[in-house]
Amino acid sequence: MFKRNRVRRRVAAAASLTSLITLLPGCGLLSDGGPDDSSPIVVGTTSAPSTLDPAGAWDGSWELFRNVYQTLLAYPNGATTPQPDAAESCSFTDSTSRTYRCKLRSGLKFADGDPLDAKAVQHSIDRIRTINAPSGPAGLLDGLDRVETVGTREIVFHLKKPDATFPFVLATPAMSLVDPREYPANSLRTDKDVRGSGPYRLESYDEGEEAVLVRNDSYKGFAERENHAVTIRYFQDSGAMVKALREKRIDVTYRGLAADDILALQKQSPADLQLVDGTGTDISYLVFNPKDRWAGNAAVRKAVAQVVDRGAIAHKVYRDTVEPLYSMVPKGLTGHATSYFDRFGDPSADKARAILTRAGIDRRVPLTFWYTSDRYGSETAVMFQELKRQLEGSGLFTVTLRTRPWKTYVTGYQKGEYPVFGRGWFPDFPDADNFIAPFVGEHNALGTPYVTKKITGELLPRSRAQGNRAEVVKDMTSAQRIMVEDARLIPLWQGRQYVAASQDIAGGERALDPSTIMTMWELHRKTSW
């Protein structure tokens, strides 16, 4: 389809989960357990869906979507470029990467028996743009001109400009395929039903508590399900989740493990639990509201960037379970740079004071920092306390901390209520483009317009015309330098991925795709000799 050899090598290394910390001594770990084991795998997470409608979510809801809906393309185990799932085949049909054609597998059906044809695909994609939900993924389709169907099985995507990343967009759970009879073209569904065609069907859903997934016998795709059923339980904090794991009320934990819990799990005796540990591409960062009196001042933002000590955050708050990040593009991806360190160097209150003085600011700058209480793990509150300590300790800032639960938190930043707020980002797809494009432009994933014509009008279009993604380094580096000078977004840390599980669970090391979304079908129970 297009050359991504360099990205493939790096992302495969980054996405692989490398250290399985425990083996059960004296017993065979041959795993047969697959579909014949009808006992549900119970997975715990602190990341509950914000909606069940794919047109309304550009967030952690994708974890559920990946398992109950289907996309044209996705990532089979070991793949770092999208491969057909609902599609039988997909490819660009022109030399300019502007026309992308997919042919569906024959006989596709939704879990309720309705046919999944080309018109259903067109409906699924078009409604995302028509609804244009504030928290939805319409921004991912900014480069799409129109969708055309040819017969019942072929779909043609006509792009406004060349875009070699478009297959990666189609592989995101945002592009989940939905039944036209069940999902209105102009509005989001708000009930608890799901009409998907994925590996599982959603048997029941208790918001914020539990999602029960059972095998979808109508599914046609690449997923080889190693279990019959999965139950996902949602927790408010890491401590309660790990306690449930220790007490065998859940089998696996993912998303939201606190640093102290990770360290404790690493010290477990071999017979108790296992921990799969690997480099991740999720990031944490601060967003500044340009309409706020102080956060909208570039000198204030640069002074904050000059004071923030990422190393202290990684070590003191996260106990070195995350790494300091000096770019919006994480390590492991082609195009990563250390732009913030190159520009600001080590933390310095004196340099920050000089920045403010040159801008005519000779008083403590009052800033209000907002964070969500139930999204990114229990250390979030501690991290913001540390940020407050660092900034106030410089003698240059007075910081007020505020918090809200995720659902109301999202509404607040979309309305522009927060001067400064924290966000996390789990990539839509493993490419540097996806750590820049979603945050810029009039309509972006932050709900805070960030107009930068050099990036949106020149650097991104030119890089997207490159099928060989190793050739985009120069443009991605230039974009990061612009973002540093604007200091609208300040990266803080890059995470690692941890999957903790009972000793009888296998598949954890295979269950994360390149976007670090858990593919539940890889999990199964071990059997002994």
Side-chain angles (χ1 to χ4, degrees):
M1 189 156 48
F2 47 88
K3 297 177 182 177
R4 296 181 59 90
N5 293 335
R6 188 172 176 187
V7 174
R8 185 177 296 113
R9 289 195 299 269
R10 291 189 177 187
V11 176
S16 65
L17 297 170
T18 56
S19 69
L20 188 58
I21 294 181
T22 177
L23 292 176
L24 187 62
C27 295
L29 296 183
L30 293 179
S31 164
D32 197 10
D36 291 332
D37 185 355
S38 59
S39 176
I41 305 291
V42 185
V43 179
T45 177
T46 61
S47 183
S50 59
T51 175
L52 298 183
D53 190 328
W58 198 347
D59 59 26
S61 305
W62 289 10
E63 200 92 56
L64 181 62
F65 296 171
R66 175 59 80 205
N67 291 279
V68 298
Y69 292 105
Q70 199 171 15
T71 47
L72 289 171
L73 301 163
Y75 300 94
N77 180 258
T80 55
T81 55
Q83 306 296 321
D85 188 19
E88 180 179 277
S89 61
C90 288
S91 64
F92 283 106
T93 60
D94 63 336
S95 59
T96 61
S97 301
R98 290 186 62 176
T99 305
Y100 195 72
R101 181 183 293 260
C102 291
K103 183 177 181 179
L104 291 172
R105 296 176 188 263
S106 63
L108 287 176
K109 294 180 180 180
F110 291 101
D112 62 358
D114 285 351
L116 197 173
D117 57 14
K119 287 296 184 184
V121 176
Q122 183 181 40
H123 173 83
S124 302
I125 304 300
D126 283 346
R127 72 187 292 267
I128 294 172
R129 298 196 295 170
T130 299
I131 294 170
N132 194 20
S135 300
L140 285 171
L141 295 171
D142 281 348
L144 178 63
D145 182 23
R146 60 189 174 90
V147 183
E148 174 189 5
T149 60
V150 180
T152 60
R153 292 178 58 195
E154 292 192 36
I155 308 98
V156 183
F157 299 92
H158 298 278
L159 308 181
K160 298 173 185 175
K161 298 177 181 179
D163 187 358
T165 70
F166 188 68
F168 289 83
V169 172
L170 289 180
T172 66
M175 305 300 135
S176 294
L177 305 178
V178 299
D179 190 339
R181 299 183 187 183
E182 302 287 343
Y183 289 77
N186 302 306
S187 62
L188 295 174
R189 286 185 62 166
T190 56
D191 57 54
K192 296 180 180 180
D193 258 345
V194 163
R195 295 289 188 270
S197 60
Y200 301 95
R201 60 181 176 83
L202 185 64
E203 184 173 75
S204 65
Y205 181 72
D206 185 0
E207 184 174 355
E209 299 293 333
E210 183 177 87
V212 176
L213 281 57
V214 297
R215 182 185 177 95
N216 174 18
D217 292 329
S218 300
Y219 170 72
K220 288 187 176 182
F222 64 72
E224 297 182 6
R225 289 159 292 189
E226 297 291 336
N227 58 67
H228 272 295
V230 172
T231 297
I232 305 173
R233 292 193 181 144
Y234 302 109
F235 292 85
Q236 291 294 314
D237 60 73
S238 173
M241 183 168 66
V242 172
K243 185 173 187 289
L245 178 67
R246 294 183 188 280
E247 295 174 354
K248 302 188 183 304
R249 289 182 284 118
I250 62 174
D251 300 302
V252 184
T253 69
Y254 180 57
R255 293 267 192 242
L257 281 173
D260 285 344
D261 290 320
I262 292 168
L263 294 176
L265 288 167
Q266 288 174 337
K267 297 175 182 177
Q268 283 293 314
S269 60
D272 292 327
L273 299 170
Q274 57 177 307
L275 187 69
V276 179
D277 167 15
T279 302
T281 51
D282 59 305
I283 67 172
S284 177
Y285 58 98
L286 296 175
V287 185
F288 288 77
N289 186 344
K291 296 183 179 179
D292 180 79
R293 176 188 174 188
W294 293 108
N297 188 312
V300 170
R301 300 193 299 266
K302 290 177 183 179
V304 171
Q306 184 65 74
V307 170
V308 169
D309 188 341
R310 296 166 177 80
I313 291 171
H315 181 67
K316 294 172 59 177
V317 178
Y318 290 93
R319 311 284 295 277
D320 299 317
T321 59
V322 304
E323 301 178 64
L325 183 63
Y326 297 93
S327 164
M328 290 299 289
V329 178
K331 290 188 291 185
L333 296 186
T334 297
H336 166 72
T338 55
S339 307
Y340 267 89
F341 187 82
D342 297 341
R343 171 66 174 80
F344 296 104
D346 291 325
S348 171
D350 290 339
K351 290 181 180 179
R353 183 176 292 103
I355 293 171
L356 294 175
T357 299
R358 285 195 297 270
I361 300 172
D362 58 1
R363 53 167 289 188
R364 276 184 177 257
V365 177
L367 289 173
T368 301
F369 281 42
W370 284 81
Y371 63 93
T372 179
S373 59
D374 59 354
R375 191 73 179 171
Y376 303 120
S378 52
E379 285 100 350
T380 303
V382 184
M383 180 181 76
F384 275 83
Q385 288 286 350
E386 172 63 16
L387 284 168
K388 175 182 171 72
R389 186 196 67 77
Q390 291 178 8
L391 293 171
E392 292 190 338
S394 71
L396 304 173
F397 301 94
T398 299
V399 177
T400 301
L401 299 180
R402 300 265 179 92
T403 186
R404 283 178 179 170
W406 177 250
K407 279 200 169 184
T408 54
Y409 183 74
V410 172
T411 302
Y413 70 65
Q414 287 170 349
K415 291 181 178 179
E417 294 177 1
Y418 311 150
V420 187
F421 60 97
R423 280 293 308 266
W425 184 251
F426 301 97
D428 305 326
F429 51 86
D431 191 283
D433 180 285
N434 193 237
F435 289 87
I436 294 175
F439 308 128
V440 297
E442 285 283 354
H443 305 286
N444 59 45
L446 304 172
T448 304
Y450 179 10
V451 179
T452 169
K453 293 182 180 179
K454 176 75 172 179
I455 296 178
T456 57
E458 180 182 333
L459 299 177
L460 288 176
R462 188 165 63 211
S463 69
R464 287 173 174 176
Q466 278 288 352
N468 183 349
R469 303 304 288 164
E471 299 298 322
V472 306
V473 173
K474 183 177 179 180
D475 285 336
M476 292 294 100
T477 301
S478 296
Q480 290 169 80
R481 281 198 296 264
I482 293 170
M483 296 173 85
V484 169
E485 287 306 312
D486 293 340
R488 286 279 306 276
L489 308 169
I490 297 181
L492 299 173
W493 53 257
Q494 172 178 351
R496 298 184 63 81
Q497 295 302 329
Y498 295 91
V499 177
S502 299
Q503 52 83 18
D504 66 333
I505 296 295
E509 71 280 7
R510 296 167 51 90
L512 302 185
D513 74 8
S515 299
T516 67
I517 292 173
M518 182 170 277
T519 53
M520 304 294 179
W521 58 84
E522 296 285 358
L523 302 172
H524 55 94
R525 298 189 188 281
K526 301 172 184 175
T527 57
S528 60
W529 289 324

